[in-house]
Amino acid sequence: MTTAAVFGCTGAVGSQILATLLAIEAFSSVKTVSRRLPNAQSPKLQALEEGDISKWGGMIPSLSPKPSVVFNAVGTTRATAGGIQNQWKIDHDLCIENAKAAKEAGVKTYVFISSGGTRGFIFSYVPYSKMKVGVEDTIKDLDFDHAIILRPGMILGREKPKNAFLEYIFANLNKLGQGVQDKAGADQTIIGRAAVAAARMAEEGKAPSKYWVVEQADILKFGRDEWKE
């Protein structure tokens, strides 16, 4: 049985990763490290509260049993962080520190929730894209046994939308056909399930490559179309 650790467990996708891990038998122990405790409860959950995010990475080696899989769903917005520089410290610097700490701690599989479209010609110049690309490239260079990068489109189904108007539009694209919405975004639950499904495949030796990028189509495939508890 596998032990997993989740960072960003109180966010939209991170909370769904946590809920999925707790609901399936493939993971016998789940650890979380966060500034506030998650709402989820389970006998196999050990939730650690740490307000100083600079200490998160250093806590990985002390987790017992040692996680073989780490999920990083940490993310914020410029507005919430109080400016682009503060957002960079979380979405870029903190995530890189976490990945390096996981590698040093002997974590075998590292799963990072990134974002779709960040490597496009136009969007590659946007600060947000540079943050995500920087983290992805670092994870690749760290040479985990398995590194999995999820690049979802618009995250739908949030209780507290980051952009209510835009998310409302994307959420209603299915009225034009499910295929239209599928190209643009996915519900947070689907993304969370896809992250767990990909990690399970890696642990079972079924990942297509050592460094695996899971794009929008496969997120829908693993988290919705082929999902089994």
Side-chain angles (χ1 to χ4, degrees):
M1 304 295 279
T2 304
T3 295
V6 184
F7 292 85
C9 65
T10 60
V13 175
S15 63
Q16 298 303 315
I17 291 174
L18 176 58
T20 302
L21 291 171
L22 296 178
I24 62 178
E25 296 181 357
F27 292 84
S28 58
S29 177
V30 182
K31 318 292 183 182
T32 63
V33 179
S34 54
R35 283 187 285 197
R36 56 185 176 85
L37 295 176
N39 293 326
Q41 294 183 345
S42 169
K44 64 180 183 180
L45 173 63
Q46 180 186 16
L48 302 176
E49 187 175 15
E50 176 52 67
D52 185 352
I53 61 176
S54 67
K55 295 181 179 179
W56 286 4
M59 296 172 69
I60 297 176
S62 65
L63 299 177
S64 180
K66 183 178 75 174
S68 61
V69 182
V70 165
F71 295 87
N72 182 350
V74 171
T76 187
T77 63
R78 182 183 307 190
T80 301
I84 191 66
Q85 291 183 334
N86 289 332
Q87 184 185 13
W88 189 279
K89 292 177 182 178
I90 296 173
D91 280 18
H92 181 271
D93 297 348
L94 177 63
C95 289
I96 286 178
E97 291 170 6
N98 184 274
K100 290 180 176 179
K103 177 65 177 181
E104 292 176 2
V107 170
K108 302 298 183 183
T109 302
Y110 194 85
V111 184
F112 175 60
I113 309 302
S114 188
S115 181
T118 55
R119 292 182 183 266
F121 177 74
I122 297 176
F123 292 106
S124 63
Y125 295 95
V126 177
Y128 178 76
S129 297
K130 291 181 179 180
M131 297 178 205
K132 297 300 184 183
V133 169
V135 178
E136 289 184 16
D137 289 348
T138 297
I139 293 171
K140 185 175 183 179
D141 291 342
L142 286 172
D143 196 32
F144 285 92
D145 286 7
H146 294 284
I148 302 169
I149 308 296
L150 271 75
R151 294 180 183 162
M154 175 68 72
I155 300 172
L156 306 176
R158 301 176 193 264
E159 291 185 7
K160 298 180 180 179
K162 290 185 177 182
N163 187 322
F165 177 70
L166 192 59
E167 290 181 34
Y168 174 80
I169 292 176
F170 276 66
N172 284 277
L173 285 176
N174 59 350
K175 294 179 180 178
L176 300 175
Q178 189 59 53
V180 177
Q181 186 183 72
D182 285 351
K183 293 182 181 299
D187 188 88
Q188 58 184 1
T189 302
I190 293 173
I191 302 170
R193 287 175 173 175
V196 174
R200 289 174 65 181
M201 291 172 67
E203 290 287 295
E204 295 169 359
K206 298 178 181 178
S209 59
K210 184 170 182 169
Y211 180 78
W212 182 18
V213 177
V214 183
E215 301 282 5
Q216 174 74 2
D218 279 335
I219 288 173
L220 294 168
K221 177 182 177 181
F222 299 146
R224 184 189 65 193
D225 301 339
E226 297 183 354
W227 175 255
K228 295 180 180 179
E229 292 290 350

